[in-house]
């Protein structure tokens, strides 16, 4: 069951993974034993985040309601506004109706 907190964290993961990869590359390019050890620690962080991201994506795939799944991805991964989500999904949704449906999903654990 996905929580709002997991989805908010998921939205930030992609950017943070990119930052960590850049840091790891810098650490590798810098010489010295200390930098090598730091690069290994950074790679462990990257691996952990990638695994967490895969778990959230598996949970998203399990959501049978395509409307809710799409809204969650658009809101938390791509940072769309509720208005933009409602316009893209269509189906007569307003920004309030789609936001309320997602809030209900989090409350009920649909």
């Amino acid at each position: 069951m996905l929580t709002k907190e997991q989805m908010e964290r998921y939205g930030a993961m992609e950017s943070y993974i990119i930052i960590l990869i850049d840091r790891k590359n810098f650490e590798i390019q810098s010489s010295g034993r200390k930098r090598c050890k730091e690069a290994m620690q950074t790679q462990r962080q990257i691996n952990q985040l990638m695994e967490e991201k895969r778990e959230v994506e598996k949970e998203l795939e399990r959501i049978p309601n395509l409307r809710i799944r799409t809204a969650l991805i658009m809101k938390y991964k791509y940072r769309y506004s509720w208005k933009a989500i409602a316009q893209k999904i269509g189906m007569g949704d307003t920004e309030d109706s789609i936001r309320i449906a997602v809030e209900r999903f989090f409350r009920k654990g649909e």
Side-chain angles (χ1 to χ4, degrees):
M1 165 50 207
L2 287 173
T3 65
K4 185 175 183 177
E5 293 75 25
Q6 284 175 303
M7 288 305 299
E8 287 170 348
R9 183 170 163 83
Y10 172 72
M13 279 183 208
E14 194 91 24
S15 299
Y16 192 52
I17 289 168
I18 291 167
I19 290 167
L20 288 175
I21 290 170
D22 286 344
R23 180 178 17 168
K24 183 188 83 170
N25 290 337
F26 170 77
E27 291 163 350
I28 289 170
Q29 291 172 358
S30 301
S31 61
R33 184 178 227 161
K34 182 181 177 191
R35 288 290 187 193
C36 183
K37 186 176 180 180
E38 289 172 355
M40 289 171 49
Q41 290 171 341
T42 302
Q43 185 60 52
R44 280 193 285 277
Q45 284 181 294
I46 293 167
N47 293 345
Q48 182 180 0
L49 284 171
M50 294 290 282
E51 180 58 32
E52 188 176 338
K53 185 178 170 213
R54 278 191 292 273
E55 290 300 317
V56 169
E57 288 168 347
K58 283 181 191 175
E59 288 294 319
L60 283 167
E61 289 174 14
R62 290 186 192 124
I63 297 171
N65 186 324
L66 184 60
R67 175 177 166 252
I68 296 297
R69 184 181 340 144
T70 302
L72 288 169
I73 292 168
M74 291 176 76
K75 180 66 178 173
Y76 294 100
K77 183 173 185 176
Y78 298 110
R79 306 290 189 192
Y80 279 77
S81 68
W82 290 118
K83 183 176 181 178
I85 294 168
Q87 289 172 343
K88 296 233 183 237
I89 289 178
M91 296 171 47
D93 279 314
T94 65
E95 60 187 286
D96 285 335
S97 68
I98 197 70
R99 179 185 50 77
I100 290 167
V102 167
E103 288 173 358
R104 190 176 301 128
F105 167 82
F106 285 131
R107 276 196 312 271
K108 290 185 178 182
E110 206 170 283

